[in-house]
């Protein structure tokens, strides 16, 4: 038998269960899965013993350029250390959002020079820009993200309802997902003005001015639009169980709607916001402890399609701007480097999730949802993207050691069981447990798979 380029041994996490076996890899692709160890011969052999070998983890919600001081180099280094082999980068870049083909193609060129992991790119539209969806899809966008809340009139605008419906029709025609940041600006802005007028600017005010109804009412509207247009709708960063329950109700009616939550919404609550202030501020906000418990129960039950980081690496100054007024702090947390270990610790290490459920949330389901070919599972013919986690390793999160320039996290000092000890992309080690061993530009662009040949029609008849 000829030797494989690489043989990987360990507790292999397949779709059907965990197998103590080995993988034979050639030219960056999985060729063979053996249920017997020490059977395959390899030019290089990596034996991970009792550690889990997961299919490469996918983070579907990353903001590499929201903070222009960061970028692909630092953020994808963080991804590699965190066991993330593919990221889906959001389009709300500073200074210019990704709303046309020229900017999209320039970003592709940038990632191919600077990325350390594989990268797919979200696209968005400007107000009145729904006609850009087809050309952006053909340029390789993985999906489209819009907002019902105006975080910034240029970079992150609220798209009016008539444009939302047009966008849903266009994304349906190209066979792609359309996702939304779903919050109601009228409710939120009114409450914030009222709180500021009364001098109520302590951290908890951030949650109270973005109540659960400000999320659920927008999700309801979007799902009704999806019912009539036939769009593939995805709701990002679900923060409250009521929202998930409404999503389940529409799923039962046949609406193509999927849901993601982010790691903070199942690990922290509003008490952490009160304790840590701006360090724990994100949009939507952290919720009550009872809501978090219900969210975690839904994760265990498989109700969420995936968990993401919503990684935003703000520097300390942008957070400290809100030390006396929570509304002045930038919203968002880093997560690429620590998310997988934190969820492994809280889920797999404590017996709340099986390794297969963990792989579903971070590999299988994201790849299926976003139609990412040859990624998301360990199977012959798939890319040899592998994330190795030692389930027995205990370590402490230290924000001072982060790969990003923004060294800040509410999880600083937390002890964790389960550590990423190796990250492999296309059969090559990128992170060896101690350091990054590849150079910027190793990461490749992952193009979307737009469906072509459909013609535009009006609302789907029911």
């Amino acid at each position: 038998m000829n030797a494989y380029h690489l043989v990987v041994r360990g507790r292999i996490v397949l779709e059907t269960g965990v197998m103590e076996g080995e993988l034979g890899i050639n030219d960056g692709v999985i060729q063979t899965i053996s249920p017997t160890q020490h059977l395959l011969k390899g030019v290089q052999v990596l034996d991970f013993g009792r550690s889990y070998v997961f299919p490469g983890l996918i983070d579907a919600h990353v903001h590499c350029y929201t903070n222009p001081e960061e970028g692909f180099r630092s953020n994808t280094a963080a991804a590699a250390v965190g066991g993330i082999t593919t990221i889906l980068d959001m389009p709300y870049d500073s200074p210019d959002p990704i709303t046309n083909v020229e900017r999209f193609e320039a970003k592709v060129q940038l990632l191919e020079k600077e990325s350390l992991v594989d990268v797919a790119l979200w696209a968005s539209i400007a107000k009145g820009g729904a006609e850009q969806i087809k050309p952006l899809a053909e340029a390789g966008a993985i999906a489209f993200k819009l907002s019902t809340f105006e975080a910034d009139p240029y970079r992150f605008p609220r798209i009016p309802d008539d444009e939302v419906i047009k966008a849903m029709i266009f994304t349906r025609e190209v066979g792609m997902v359309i996702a939304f940041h779903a919050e109601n600006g009228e409710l939120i802005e009114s409450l914030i003005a009222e709180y500021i007028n009364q001098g109520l600017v302590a951290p908890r005010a951030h949650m109270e001015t973005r109540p659960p109804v400000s999320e659920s009412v927008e999700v309801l509207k979007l799902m009704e639009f999806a019912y009539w247009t036939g769009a593939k709708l995805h709701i990002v960063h679900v923060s409250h169980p009521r929202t998930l329950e409404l999503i389940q109700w529409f799923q039962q009616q046949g609406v193509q709607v999927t849901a993601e939550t982010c790691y903070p919404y199942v690990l922290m609550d509003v008490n952490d916001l009160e304790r840590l202030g701006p360090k724990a501020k994100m949009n939507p906000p952290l919720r009550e402890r009872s809501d978090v418990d219900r969210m975690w129960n839904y994760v265990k039950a498989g109700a969420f399609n995936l968990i993401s980081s919503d990684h935003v690496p703000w520097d300390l100054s942008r957070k400290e701007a809100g030390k006396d007024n929570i509304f002045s702090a930038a919203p968002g947390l880093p997560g690429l480097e620590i998310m997988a270990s934190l969820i492994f610790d809280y889920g797999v290490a404590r017996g709340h999730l099986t390794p297969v459920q963990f792989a579903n949330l971070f590999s299988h389901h994201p790849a299926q949802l976003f139609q990412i070919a040859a990624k998301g599972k360990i199977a012959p013919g798939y890319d040899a993207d592998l994330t190795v986690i030692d389930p027995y390793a205990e370590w402490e999160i230290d924000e001072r050691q982060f790969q990003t320039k923004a060294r800040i996290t509410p999880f600083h000092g937390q002890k964790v069981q389960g550590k990423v000890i190796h990250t492999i992309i296309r059969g090559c080690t990128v992170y060896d447990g101690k350091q990054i061993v590849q150079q910027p530009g190793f990461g490749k662009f992952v193009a979307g798979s737009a469906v072509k040949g459909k013609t535009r029609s009006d609302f789907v008849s029911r």
Side-chain angles (χ1 to χ4, degrees):
M1 180 190 298
N2 293 328
Y4 292 94
H5 295 165
L6 174 66
V7 170
V8 173
R9 296 184 186 127
R11 297 162 78 181
I12 313 295
V13 183
L14 305 172
E15 286 185 290
T16 54
V18 179
M19 175 192 75
E20 292 196 17
E22 57 188 4
L23 308 174
I25 296 163
N26 279 335
D27 300 317
V29 175
I30 298 168
Q31 301 291 328
T32 303
I33 302 174
S34 171
T36 304
Q37 293 188 347
H38 303 283
L39 178 66
L40 304 179
K41 305 298 181 183
V43 175
Q44 181 185 13
V45 177
L46 296 173
D47 191 333
F48 296 110
R50 298 286 292 166
S51 292
Y52 289 111
V53 179
F54 287 98
L57 307 185
I58 299 169
D59 191 342
H61 195 145
V62 176
H63 295 268
C64 284
Y65 285 93
T66 292
N67 178 1
E69 297 300 316
E70 298 283 353
F72 283 128
R73 289 198 185 199
S74 60
N75 285 304
T76 59
V81 172
I84 309 297
T85 58
T86 302
I87 65 169
L88 279 57
D89 194 54
M90 285 293 174
Y92 299 114
D93 295 0
S94 179
D96 298 310
I98 308 303
T99 54
N100 60 48
V101 171
E102 182 181 9
R103 290 180 196 158
F104 186 91
E105 291 179 342
K107 192 171 181 181
V108 172
Q109 293 176 3
L110 184 62
L111 81 84
E112 290 185 333
K113 291 178 181 177
E114 299 196 350
S115 181
L116 287 154
V117 305
D118 289 353
V119 181
L121 298 178
W122 289 81
S124 186
I125 63 171
K127 292 179 182 179
E131 299 289 340
Q132 291 295 314
I133 285 175
K134 184 176 180 181
L136 281 163
E138 292 176 348
I142 198 72
F144 291 84
K145 185 185 176 188
L146 283 64
S147 181
T148 67
F149 178 83
E150 188 142 306
D152 181 278
Y154 171 65
R155 195 176 60 81
F156 204 158
R158 175 192 177 275
I159 304 300
D161 287 351
D162 62 327
E163 284 289 313
V164 166
I165 288 176
K166 288 180 185 178
M168 284 189 172
I169 292 170
F170 285 132
T171 54
R172 184 200 73 218
E173 289 176 349
V174 294
M176 300 182 76
V177 168
I178 184 168
F180 285 86
H181 178 126
E183 289 186 290
N184 184 285
E186 290 184 15
L187 290 173
I188 291 168
E189 289 162 10
S190 175
L191 284 167
I192 289 175
E194 180 182 332
Y195 270 57
I196 290 176
N197 187 53
Q198 296 180 40
L200 302 174
V201 295
R204 187 180 179 91
H206 179 59
M207 184 201 73
E208 293 177 347
T209 55
R210 298 178 109 92
V213 67
S214 67
E215 175 179 280
S216 61
V217 70
E218 290 301 304
V219 172
L220 270 172
K221 178 184 73 177
L222 292 167
M223 291 191 295
E224 188 67 5
F225 287 174
Y227 175 88
W228 291 107
T229 61
K232 295 179 181 178
L233 173 64
H234 183 64
I235 304 299
V236 301
H237 49 52
V238 171
S239 70
H240 195 275
R242 170 67 174 169
T243 303
L244 192 277
E245 289 156 4
L246 292 170
I247 289 170
Q248 290 179 313
W249 186 56
F250 272 79
Q251 287 171 337
Q252 292 166 8
Q253 299 175 56
V255 174
Q256 297 181 84
V257 55
T258 49
E260 92 183 41
T261 191
C262 302
Y263 75 105
Y265 297 124
V266 295
L267 298 178
M268 295 194 295
D269 59 48
V270 70
N271 296 310
D272 296 298
L273 177 61
E274 291 182 301
R275 177 173 58 90
L276 296 168
K279 211 173 187 181
K281 179 184 175 181
M282 67 205 75
N283 294 339
L286 297 173
R287 303 297 184 187
E288 300 285 359
R289 183 70 246 172
S290 59
D291 299 326
V292 174
D293 291 340
R294 288 171 60 202
M295 288 281 285
W296 182 248
N297 286 336
Y298 279 126
V299 170
K300 291 192 293 183
F304 283 102
N305 297 81
L306 60 100
I307 294 177
S308 71
S309 68
D310 196 358
H311 172 86
V312 184
W314 292 116
D315 57 81
L316 187 60
S317 65
R318 293 295 304 273
K319 286 293 189 179
E320 288 185 337
K323 63 181 180 180
D324 298 319
N325 181 341
I326 192 63
F327 300 114
S328 298
L333 310 178
L336 279 167
E337 200 158 335
I338 59 176
M339 172 180 66
S341 291
L342 283 166
I343 296 296
F344 185 94
D345 170 74
Y346 197 68
V348 181
R350 303 187 194 192
H352 299 309
L353 296 175
T354 68
V356 172
Q357 288 176 303
F358 183 89
N360 284 338
L361 288 166
F362 290 107
S363 302
H364 303 325
H365 292 168
Q368 291 170 353
L369 176 60
F370 296 102
Q371 304 175 72
I372 305 174
K375 293 186 185 292
K377 65 179 178 179
I378 294 175
Y382 276 68
D383 286 354
D385 294 355
L386 306 170
T387 302
V388 185
I389 297 180
D390 182 346
Y392 309 107
E394 295 181 354
W395 62 291
E396 185 176 300
I397 293 174
D398 185 350
E399 63 190 11
R400 297 167 298 183
Q401 302 301 315
F402 279 5
Q403 296 292 318
T404 54
K405 301 170 189 175
R407 295 182 170 93
I408 177 173
T409 175
F411 296 95
H412 176 67
Q414 181 164 322
K415 291 181 171 57
V416 180
Q417 181 178 335
K419 192 175 192 304
V420 174
I421 61 168
H422 218 91
T423 303
I424 297 171
I425 300 176
R426 290 173 275 109
C428 298
T429 296
V430 179
Y431 172 65
D432 65 4
K434 296 180 180 178
Q435 61 185 351
I436 304 289
V437 299
Q438 298 291 342
Q439 295 299 313
F442 174 82
K444 300 298 183 185
F445 172 54
V446 178
S449 53
V451 178
K452 300 177 182 178
K454 293 186 178 180
T455 58
R456 184 167 184 226
S457 62
D458 292 326
F459 294 160
V460 174
S461 91
R462 290 277 179 178

